[in-house]
Structures are given as C-alpha cells and as structure tokens.
Amino acid sequence: MARAETMVPHNHLMAGLLGQRDELLRLVEDAFYANRIIVQGNRITVEGPEAERVARLFDELVLVLQSGQGLDAAKVARTIDMVREDLRPSEVLNAEVVRGARGHTVRPNTAGQKRYTDAIGANTITFGIGPAGTGKSYLAVALAVQALQSRQVTRIILTRPAVEAGERLGFLPGDLMAKVDPYLRPLYDALYDLLEPEGAQRLLDRGTIEVAPLAFMRGRTLNSSFIILDEAQNTTPEQMKMFLTRIGFGSKCVVTGDVTQVDVAGGRSGLVGLEEVLGAVEGISFVRLTRRDVVRHKIVADIVEAYEVAEGEVADSRRGAESTPPDAR
C-alpha cells in the first residue's frame, strides 16, 4: 500500500487546514474515500492508492494558507479538482490580478480563470466564453483597472449590445444613454466594487472610463485603450466585425459571452463559430470556461450542469430523428 506524509510547518496553520470541527478534512476524506488519512500533531499521513496525490493536496493547501488566504469548503473543492488534473493550485490561487478598493485582492479562483487572465496578458484580443458565474466580466474589468493604474493604457472602454434596441427600448424614459443604462449596469457594478463608487465616478466624469452601448463604437478608432465587449453572444456577425475593427495602436481587447444564452433576433450570433474564423490569427486567444470555473453559489454550477445535460439529450434526440429513414418514421 502506498504511503505519503505532509508536515505542516506551524501549529497555527493546522486549524485553517483542517477547518472547524475538521470539516475541511472530511471534504478531503470524502473526495479520496479509498485512502486513509491520519493526523498526528503537525504530521498528516496518507495511506492508499492515491497517497502521493492527497499528500500533494495538503502541501498545496498549506502554501495557500501561508500566502495569507483562508480556506473554505468551496476553495478546498476547487483545489481538489485542480490536483486531480495535476495542476498546481497554489500557483493559481496565489496569483494576484489587482488590489482593489479597501485592500481587496482579486485573484483567479480556478485553473480556467488563471488561463483566462494569462491569455489576456499575453494577447491583443482575448475571447472568454463560458456560463454565468465564471468571472468572465469581473476579471476582465479587474485587469482593465490594473492596466489603467499601471499606465499601460490611458482609458477603459466598457461596452455591450442592447438587445432590445428597437421598439421596446423606445418606451423607456430619458435619452439614449438613460435607456441603455440597465444593460450596462453589471459593468458599473464591477467598477464600483474595484474602485469604490466615488473613485469610479471621478474616472467616468473625466472620460477616463467610458461605459457605452455597442452602437457608439461605430466609426471610431480606439487607441491606447483597454476595451471590453460584454455579452458578446448578443451581437450580430456584422456588429462583431465592426467592433473588432475599431481596435487601434496600444490597445487590448477582451470579448466575453455565453453561447448558450443568445437573445439576438434570429439567433445570428456574432460570437458563435468565430473561433473557426479567427482562431489562427496571431495575437488572438479563445479561452473556454466551464461549470468547474463557476465561483458563485454551488447551486449555480449544478444548474449549469443540469442545463448542459438537458441540452445534450435534446441534441442527441434530434440527431436520432434526422438519421431515421422517412419510411421508418
């Protein structure tokens, strides 16, 4: 039987590692139920078929604690997933994207989020595609704030399509910006969280940060800017081409979207199938996030998974119907 050990260097780390009433230890035991975990003082001994992997998991969790972060059930669960994929959770969870208002540090919480933030740093245009709750928009705004603060760019431009840009929008009160403001509210929320409302409002008033509907991008060339197109699945192919050709010198662009949530009229999404067109272009990266990258309440990941299963069953039934000869129907 395989056997491995982990020595926790300081007594105060043990409580954070095991959790209140050993709740975090029980999570690890449940995840690796075929192994026996023995805790004696600061020594953790693992016996079983995955002893080396479980010991490495504890080593990684200790590194996270030593960085000053706390552990909870969600973070331990994500760390278990990463160790099973032979990744280094400490490198993911200890990476700092930006230090926001009131000392709040924004970090990737999953391996997918780390790939996403690394891709944004390395490419001119990055497409972040995945379900709700994966941090696509929030991390993009955080990196935009970091780029502005480090003077890599001189302004941030946040945009998204207003799906109901036709008749229904006309019934809303106010000018055009007032009408589309509800569509842009999630971007404001991320800004206010990172910069506090007063700091964000000052930058908005100066025009250093611009939040505008996608229609406002037509005819412009955006130099030295960090540009984020949110909810890109609701662009048409023509709008997507228009947007991507606005990018000027010294700019970086992030496009986020969820291809399962297309609301654009006729279902002609400018995001669907785009990787086949642009995937080989140098400086462009496509990162796909999954339910494993959902960092909201666990029920959100479960909902995403349930929809994926249901949609897969519908697709299978359609393929079966199409393959059935007409005279057999």
Side-chain angles (χ1 to χ4, degrees):
M1 180 181 292
R3 179 187 174 96
E5 289 186 349
T6 292
M7 282 296 299
V8 180
H10 302 291
N11 291 335
H12 72 276
L13 295 175
M14 286 300 295
L17 182 63
L18 303 180
Q20 279 192 333
R21 300 178 181 176
D22 292 345
E23 62 173 348
L24 301 182
L25 174 61
R26 283 195 295 274
L27 276 177
V28 178
E29 289 175 333
D30 291 344
F32 298 96
Y33 59 87
N35 302 267
R36 184 177 177 224
I37 301 173
I38 306 158
V39 180
Q40 296 173 310
N42 285 20
R43 185 189 304 274
I44 301 175
T45 304
V46 187
E47 298 174 347
E50 294 181 283
E52 290 288 344
R53 177 169 289 174
V54 179
R56 184 159 60 85
L57 168 67
F58 282 117
D59 289 338
E60 290 290 318
L61 291 171
V62 168
L63 289 173
V64 173
L65 286 168
Q66 288 178 318
S67 74
Q69 298 183 65
L71 295 177
D72 57 21
K75 188 171 288 185
V76 170
R78 289 193 290 266
T79 304
I80 290 169
D81 285 342
M82 285 186 267
V83 166
R84 280 179 165 154
E85 295 176 18
D86 292 324
L87 301 172
R88 292 287 307 275
S90 59
E91 293 180 359
V92 174
L93 299 174
N94 291 343
E96 184 173 311
V97 175
V98 67
R99 193 173 294 274
R102 299 181 296 276
H104 168 61
T105 300
V106 178
R107 291 186 172 95
N109 286 296
T110 69
Q113 289 188 348
K114 180 68 162 56
R115 286 197 307 273
Y116 178 50
T117 56
D118 287 347
I120 292 172
N123 292 278
T124 302
I125 303 173
T126 302
F127 291 84
I129 303 169
T134 51
K136 306 182 300 295
S137 303
Y138 191 90
L139 286 171
V141 174
L143 284 163
V145 169
Q146 190 274 335
L148 183 66
Q149 291 175 340
S150 61
R151 299 185 180 179
Q152 297 173 43
V153 298
T154 58
R155 60 179 171 168
I156 297 172
I157 298 174
L158 310 176
T159 185
R160 65 188 297 182
V163 178
E164 293 183 324
E167 185 179 0
R168 291 189 202 174
L169 204 59
F171 287 106
L172 294 173
D175 59 16
L176 181 57
M177 279 306 298
K179 292 174 188 291
V180 300
D181 192 67
Y183 295 95
L184 304 171
R185 184 52 50 188
L187 299 176
Y188 284 112
D189 290 343
L191 277 178
Y192 292 158
D193 189 41
L194 289 160
L195 295 169
E196 293 195 330
E198 298 81 8
Q201 194 58 52
R202 279 197 301 273
L203 294 173
L204 286 162
D205 292 341
R206 291 180 201 158
T208 304
I209 298 178
E210 178 184 347
V211 185
L214 181 59
F216 281 29
M217 299 300 109
R218 190 173 299 278
R220 302 175 62 182
T221 299
L222 307 174
N223 294 316
S224 191
S225 303
F226 198 115
I227 313 146
I228 299 171
L229 170 58
D230 196 33
E231 298 289 343
Q233 77 275 2
N234 288 327
T235 62
T236 64
E238 294 78 14
Q239 286 175 323
M240 179 63 77
K241 181 179 178 182
M242 177 275 292
F243 171 76
L244 293 175
T245 53
R246 301 305 95 200
I247 299 166
F249 293 104
S251 289
K252 188 177 288 286
C253 173
V254 180
V255 179
T256 72
D258 177 0
V259 292
T260 68
Q261 298 291 325
V262 175
D263 298 319
V264 69
R268 290 180 65 248
S269 170
L271 188 59
V272 175
L274 195 59
E275 188 169 3
E276 297 173 9
V277 179
L278 301 178
V281 177
E282 187 176 352
I284 295 180
S285 175
F286 287 80
V287 179
R288 294 191 177 273
L289 302 169
T290 70
R291 61 182 177 82
R292 285 192 171 188
D293 300 301
V294 172
V295 292
R296 293 181 185 169
H297 193 288
K298 180 183 179 296
I299 198 170
V300 176
D302 293 340
I303 289 169
V304 170
E305 182 180 14
Y307 270 100
E308 287 175 350
V309 170
E311 288 162 1
E313 290 174 351
V314 169
D316 288 343
S317 66
R318 284 177 180 168
R319 281 194 293 270
E322 290 169 359
S323 63
T324 304
D327 56 353
R329 294 176 186 171

